[in-house]
Every structure is written in C-alpha cells, then in structure tokens.
Amino acid sequence: MTSPAFDRSIKIAPSILAADFANFGQEIEAVEAQGADWIHVDVMDGHFVPNLTFGPAMCKAIRPHIKTVMDVHLMISPVDPYIEAFAEAGADYITAHVEAGPHIHRTMQAIRASGAKAGVALNPATPAESIAYLMDMVDLICVMTVNPGFGGQKFIHSQIEKVKTLREMIGDRPIHLEIDGGVDPTTAPLVAAAGADALVAGSAVFKGGSVSNPAPYGENIRNIRAAAEQAL
Ligand code: DX5
Ligand code: ZN
C-alpha cells in the first residue's frame, strides 16, 4: 500500500489538559491562532487512569471552537459503550488504549464503523508487537512517553526504541505516529528522528501564556516544531 500524499510532516497537538478548564473554547481558538495543527482532548475516567477529566458532552461543546482536527484520547475502560457518543460529539480521531480491554480489535472496528478515524495507544510497558495484527485497521498509533493520567510528567526515554520499531512496522501505510507525554523542545527532536509525526504537548505549549496573552503559546509551538524539524 503506498500513499504518496500522506502527510508525515510534523504536527503539534496541544493537549487542553494544560489549558484553563473554565475557558476551553477561547483557549482552543488561541492555540489554533498561534499555530496548533491538531487539538488533543484527554478523556479520563478515574478507573483506567487515576484521574478524571470530562466526557462526550464536553467534547461536543468544544467542537465548534476547533477548526483543525479533534484528536480524542480515551483513557477509559470499557471503551466500546462510549464510541458512538464521542463520534457524535465530532471527534476526528478516537484513540483507545490497547490495555483498556481484551477486545481492542473489535474496538478499532467499532471506531471506524462510527465514522471516526481509529487510533490505538500503548502504555510505556506495552510492546510495539502487541498491535502487529492491528496495522491494517488503524489510522493513528499513539506512543505514551509517560504513564497516562497527568500532564507535566517526565518523558520516558526507553520509548524511543518503540517509536523506531513502530515506524518500521508502519512502512508505507497511511498511519500517523503520535507521541504523548513530556514533549518539549529537548525531547521533540528525539521522537521526530525516531519517526514520529504528531507531537502532543500540554504543559510545554500552554506555559507562560493565557487567552489574554496568547503570544507565548505561539512561541512555544514554534520552538517545539523547529526542534523536531531540525532532527529530520
Ligand atoms: C497524559 C495525557 C497527555 C498529557 C500530556 O495522560 O494523555 O496528553 O496532557 O501533557 P504534557 O505534555 O504536560 O506531558
Ligand atoms: Zn493524551
């Protein structure tokens, strides 16, 4: 399978987990105006991960504020009963964890059947080979470079090997390779060189700025992007 038009350029996906929770609409508009390529939306259930955020109703409420791509990362278990609701909320990508249940293959089928693009995420302890039989049914692979649940954690360097392995497994398939956790201008080049194209960043994008002072968002995004592109 060859897809010459597939976009493997570096995409920066700010995670709204690091935004002002009382002001998601304006925060999203601010980071997009400052150069964000995708908006990453972290859904946590207090069960699969030890933290709680929000669900499909919030996703639906923020959808009109997103002009780019709504990248929904489900850190929930079970996943399948909620796929339709997130698809109806307008998610472009719905990503589920391989560790979230015994039937990740069925979950990928259900996400694509909902009309959304299917993503699969791997926790740091999960090997690349665990998704070998999903390669022809996913649109995005997310490598967690922290243990999911919280923003602002330290990047786990052992995951760089996994990114390289997955990049080889992807080959010419039209699959985005996304990194989530601890991405900043020092770690972005490491994962870009290993083959990642979508970089999620929460604290490193939102630090120093606000909706009334959004320029730091732009500077942060440019710095991460420049560092990643320099490594290519
Ligand atoms: C972690 C989330 C990440 C998180 C990244 O569970 O999935 O998307 O917001 O935050 P930073 O960039 O601060 O590590
Ligand atoms: Zn995430």
Side-chain angles (χ1 to χ4, degrees), residues 15 40 42 73 75 144 180 200:
S15 163
H40 185 81
D42 285 309
H73 178 193
M75 287 161 275
M144 293 305 303
D180 190 2
V200 175

Side-chain angles (χ1 to χ4, degrees), residues 14-56:
S15 163
I16 59 166
L17 188 61
D20 174 4
F21 268 47
N23 210 359
F24 278 146
Q26 282 189 282
E27 288 276 46
I28 287 163
E29 287 170 15
V31 282
E32 285 194 344
Q34 294 293 324
D37 299 290
W38 294 2
I39 299 297
H40 185 81
V41 181
D42 285 309
V43 176
M44 304 187 185
D45 68 352
H47 166 73
F48 179 69
V49 290
N51 196 6
L52 282 162
T53 54
F54 43 75

Side-chain angles (χ1 to χ4, degrees), residues 138-168:
V138 297
D139 303 290
L140 178 148
I141 298 169
C142 175
V143 176
M144 293 305 303
T145 40
V146 298
N147 284 296
F150 303 95
Q153 303 183 81
K154 213 168 153 319
F155 181 88
I156 300 172
H157 284 261
S158 62
Q159 301 306 300
I160 294 168
E161 274 311 304
K162 192 195 289 183
V163 176
K164 286 184 193 159
T165 304
L166 285 165
R167 184 64 195 86
E168 278 179 24

Side-chain angles (χ1 to χ4, degrees), residues 1-4 6 8 167-175:
M1 192 193 311
T2 53
S3 13
F6 191 70
R8 289 201 194 284
R167 184 64 195 86
E168 278 179 24
M169 287 167 68
I170 288 170
D172 287 333
R173 293 179 180 89
I175 299 175

Side-chain angles (χ1 to χ4, degrees), residues 26-226:
Q26 282 189 282
E27 288 276 46
I28 287 163
E29 287 170 15
V31 282
E32 285 194 344
Q34 294 293 324
D37 299 290
W38 294 2
I39 299 297
H40 185 81
V41 181
D42 285 309
V43 176
M44 304 187 185
D45 68 352
H47 166 73
F48 179 69
V49 290
N51 196 6
L52 282 162
T53 54
F54 43 75
M58 177 67 92
C59 291
K60 192 173 188 176
I62 64 177
R63 177 69 256 199
H65 299 271
I66 300 175
K67 293 200 198 79
T68 59
V69 170
M70 188 182 204
D71 175 31
V72 176
H73 178 193
L74 299 182
M75 287 161 275
I76 67 173
S77 175
V79 176
D80 296 7
Y82 303 103
I83 290 171
E84 208 49 54
F86 285 103
E88 273 168 22
D92 294 295
Y93 287 88
I94 298 178
T95 296
H97 270 260
V98 69
E99 308 85 4
H103 300 297
I104 188 70
H105 187 283
R106 176 184 291 145
T107 299
M108 294 297 112
Q109 289 177 320
I111 293 173
R112 279 193 166 173
S114 79
K117 289 185 171 133
V120 64
L122 289 78
N123 278 339
T126 303
E129 291 70 25
S130 66
I131 59 166
Y133 291 94
L134 299 180
M135 298 305 288
D136 290 315
M137 54 194 305
V138 297
D139 303 290
L140 178 148
I141 298 169
C142 175
V143 176
M144 293 305 303
T145 40
V146 298
N147 284 296
F150 303 95
Q153 303 183 81
K154 213 168 153 319
F155 181 88
I156 300 172
H157 284 261
S158 62
Q159 301 306 300
I160 294 168
E161 274 311 304
K162 192 195 289 183
V163 176
K164 286 184 193 159
T165 304
L166 285 165
R167 184 64 195 86
E168 278 179 24
M169 287 167 68
I170 288 170
D172 287 333
R173 293 179 180 89
I175 299 175
H176 292 296
L177 187 47
E178 179 176 74
I179 305 302
D180 190 2
V183 172
D184 64 21
T186 67
T187 55
L190 308 176
V191 290
D197 64 289
L199 308 185
V200 175
S203 28
V205 165
F206 285 94
K207 73 163 190 219
S210 66
V211 293
S212 50
N213 174 34
Y217 295 166
E219 199 183 329
N220 295 338
I221 290 169
R222 282 191 297 279
N223 288 343
I224 298 167
R225 192 193 306 281

